[in-house]
Amino acid sequence: MQKYLLLSLLFFTTISFAQKKPLDHTVYDARESVASRRLSNNGNWAAYGIAAQEGDANLYLTNLLTNAKTKVNRVESAQFSADSKFAVFAIKPFYSAIRQAKIKRKNRRNAKGLFGHSQLN
């Protein structure tokens, strides 16, 4: 009985150590963090940006009453209007376009961003 218990314990510890993922640069590149957070004046809307270590950021506009979410790509932060009816944000160029401009040593100002807005219901 003790042989089987020892053998099964050895087997399970070997499996648990074998499943660990090694840390390399791809793990750090995929890391995400909260870039910004903001609450509207009336308290009904929250905006938060999730920025990747390497890649495009995403902005989430969340209605706190209905829990409805809107995702906006390539945006880190937003500003709410005074009456909390609109959210305004700057849309950045694609990360890959900026990276290619850096590699080719071109002027990064050619990769222009846009302004966007969202009407909050």
Side-chain angles (χ1 to χ4, degrees), residues 9-22:
L9 182 64
L10 182 66
F11 177 72
F12 286 119
T13 56
T14 309
I15 288 176
S16 66
F17 284 117
Q19 292 179 353
K20 288 187 179 181
K21 184 178 179 182

Side-chain angles (χ1 to χ4, degrees), residues 12 14 30 42 54 57 82 85 101 108 114 117:
F12 286 119
T14 309
N42 64 4
E54 185 173 309
K85 291 185 179 181
R108 291 186 307 214
L114 304 168
H117 72 283

Side-chain angles (χ1 to χ4, degrees), residues 40 42 44-45 59 61-63 68-72 78-81 83-89 116-121:
S40 65
N42 64 4
N44 292 339
W45 289 89
L59 176 76
L61 298 169
T62 305
N63 186 334
K69 290 186 181 182
T70 303
K71 178 182 172 184
V72 184
Q79 185 73 28
F80 290 106
S81 62
D83 59 359
S84 300
K85 291 185 179 181
F86 296 96
V88 181
F89 41 83
H117 72 283
S118 178
Q119 184 174 0
L120 306 174
N121 297 333

